[in-house]
Amino acid sequence: MTYSKIIGIGHFVPERVITNEYLESIMDTTDTWITERTGIKERHYATYGKDTNASMGTEAAKIAIERAGLTPQDIDFIVYATITPDYYFPGSGFIMQRELGMKGIGVLDIRDQCSGFIYAISTADQFIKSGMYKNILVVGSELQSTFLNHTNEGRGVAVIFGDGAGAVVMQATDNEEHRVISTHLHADGTYAEDLYVKDPGSSRPKRFYDDLVDDNTTGDVFMNGSVVFKHAIVRFPEVIKEALNANGFKPEDIDLLVPHQANLRISEYVRQQMGLPEDKVFNNIQKYGNTTAASIPIALCEAWESGRVKEGDLVCLAAFGSGFTWGSALIRW
Ligand code: ACO
């Protein structure tokens, strides 16, 4: 039987640090409001003209490939999760493929928002299990700062998000012990408009930018914060328990839970619901804000680098986000 396992991991964040104090100087907000509501103290923003979604994904991928002991030429396929591609199309995975000199191999764009990386891991796992590919590069990258509304009107959303990228290399293995054990994916489109960006969309009779002239807020992120919160705190524990139950584990078997870094209050609520001690849940939203599809690989990478993920650990990745989408991946490291 063929399984998949993670053999290399890397992340990249742009060097520009945006503190809550800086945001206080450009909009009507406070460090106290942001910290109490979200746990975020700072986030990293791309430098225009230097960092792009694809360049950040490329940097993270280079580290993951090197740590896997491979070269870009060993990679058979790319799965690239983002909702903030460099262009409306094609996706940033194609640009990264070009930059890494991997011409010819397939690239799959995933846009499942905050759950994008879980969907990407699951997709790669299936391709490997089916025997189609041996080494797959899986990337989550987001450059969100350029479309945040940094006026008072957009402050409820703008303070939450940041930029960055993370990547893993997944490889085929016949080792039944150390592998991706299972993945679980869900969605409920009932709530599509509770967390969304309307433009550039094709849902208008006119070209979308004609509408943008009339209403320049349609390109902003709209978030119904309380609805997102209510669903997130139900779906996170549900999909973590689904992963545990499917494999005969209990919450206490988890060595590390790496949740999508949506909001520290959500992570804390989920931790309590699952009955997990603080040292079994990894959070770094304080430093990076919410980096959407990049948040799980960045957090997993930092957890691994700091020794919080060790050989033999049972690691659970879980996400909830726009769509609504939610999912989990259970991994024996
Ligand atoms: N600074 C100061 N005041 C602000 C800010 C800000 N940045 N943003 C909004 N406010 C004000 C509002 O205008 C409002 O003022 P009013 O009472 O005078 O009208 C007040 O703060 C409360 O606003 P709410 O939107 O009700 O704030 P709430 O307490 O609900 O917190 C938050 C907002 C943090 C978004 C909360 O709803 C939440 O945690 N939602 C979960 C969603 C989430 O975390 N999403 C993350 C991204 S999505 C994902 O990854 C799944």
Side-chain angles (χ1 to χ4, degrees), residues 171-223:
Q171 186 172 67
T173 178
D174 55 10
N175 187 323
E176 297 202 352
E177 195 66 26
H178 305 278
R179 62 181 174 98
V180 174
I181 300 170
S182 68
T183 58
H184 302 268
L185 307 177
H186 297 280
D188 183 354
T190 309
Y191 304 97
E193 285 83 16
D194 281 296
L195 179 51
Y196 82 129
V197 175
K198 191 170 183 179
D199 278 317
S202 58
S203 58
R204 240 80 72 249
K206 295 185 286 180
R207 292 182 300 177
F208 73 84
Y209 45 83
D210 292 339
D211 274 2
L212 278 173
V213 173
D214 301 335
D215 174 4
N216 63 14
T217 65
T218 60
D220 288 353
V221 178
F222 171 82
M223 178 170 70

Side-chain angles (χ1 to χ4, degrees), residues 29 33 37 114 155-156 195 223 225 260 262-263 265 290 320:
T29 190
W33 193 97
R37 300 287 204 297
C114 298
R155 64 182 179 167
L195 179 51
M223 178 170 70
H260 160 56
N263 179 321
R265 286 195 307 164
N290 179 334
F320 174 85

Side-chain angles (χ1 to χ4, degrees), residues 65-327:
I65 294 170
E66 194 189 330
R67 285 178 173 165
L70 301 179
T71 69
Q73 283 62 48
D74 297 316
I75 302 294
D76 306 312
F77 192 66
I78 294 167
V79 186
Y80 197 104
T82 187
I83 53 164
T84 52
D86 299 66
Y87 309 130
Y88 185 53
F89 72 82
S92 295
F94 302 94
I95 300 165
M96 183 195 71
Q97 184 231 42
R98 181 181 70 201
E99 295 305 310
L100 288 171
M102 302 156 95
K103 203 164 90 175
I105 64 167
V107 178
L108 177 65
D109 260 15
I110 299 259
R111 42 173 296 172
D112 276 277
Q113 301 71 248
C114 298
S115 304
F117 195 75
I118 301 286
Y119 272 73
I121 288 268
S122 180
T123 304
D125 182 49
Q126 308 313 315
F127 273 129
I128 288 174
K129 278 186 192 152
S130 74
M132 188 158 173
Y133 298 118
K134 185 173 170 223
N135 294 316
I136 302 186
L137 174 61
V138 182
V139 178
S141 180
E142 301 289 3
L143 200 163
Q144 308 180 113
S145 54
T146 48
F147 70 89
L148 294 175
N149 178 348
H150 286 103
T151 68
N152 286 347
E153 205 179 352
R155 64 182 179 167
V157 166
V159 300
I160 294 175
F161 294 96
D163 302 336
V168 298
V169 175
M170 294 173 66
Q171 186 172 67
T173 178
D174 55 10
N175 187 323
E176 297 202 352
E177 195 66 26
H178 305 278
R179 62 181 174 98
V180 174
I181 300 170
S182 68
T183 58
H184 302 268
L185 307 177
H186 297 280
D188 183 354
T190 309
Y191 304 97
E193 285 83 16
D194 281 296
L195 179 51
Y196 82 129
V197 175
K198 191 170 183 179
D199 278 317
S202 58
S203 58
R204 240 80 72 249
K206 295 185 286 180
R207 292 182 300 177
F208 73 84
Y209 45 83
D210 292 339
D211 274 2
L212 278 173
V213 173
D214 301 335
D215 174 4
N216 63 14
T217 65
T218 60
D220 288 353
V221 178
F222 171 82
M223 178 170 70
N224 190 341
S226 60
V227 172
V228 174
F229 192 91
K230 277 183 208 147
H231 284 261
I233 60 171
V234 172
R235 297 307 192 185
F236 265 111
E238 191 179 276
V239 79
I240 296 166
K241 284 178 192 156
E242 182 181 13
L244 295 174
N245 293 341
N247 298 288
F249 291 116
K250 296 193 168 57
E252 54 267 35
D253 295 321
I254 294 178
D255 292 299
L256 194 68
L257 172 66
V258 182
H260 160 56
Q261 303 291 295
N263 179 321
L264 197 57
R265 286 195 307 164
I266 294 176
S267 284
E268 184 54 18
Y269 192 92
V270 171
R271 183 186 72 74
Q272 288 171 11
Q273 287 289 107
M274 296 301 303
L276 295 171
E278 278 180 20
D279 65 345
K280 285 198 171 187
V281 180
F282 191 84
N283 290 301
N284 62 3
I285 191 169
Q286 301 90 332
K287 295 191 292 178
Y288 302 124
N290 179 334
T291 56
T292 304
S295 93
I296 290 179
I298 292 174
L300 184 62
C301 186
E302 284 206 332
W304 178 81
E305 286 171 347
S306 63
R308 299 269 302 269
V309 176
K310 300 176 296 299
E311 180 97 354
D313 279 355
L314 187 66
V315 178
C316 186
L317 314 179
F320 174 85
S322 161
F324 289 154
T325 54
W326 61 101

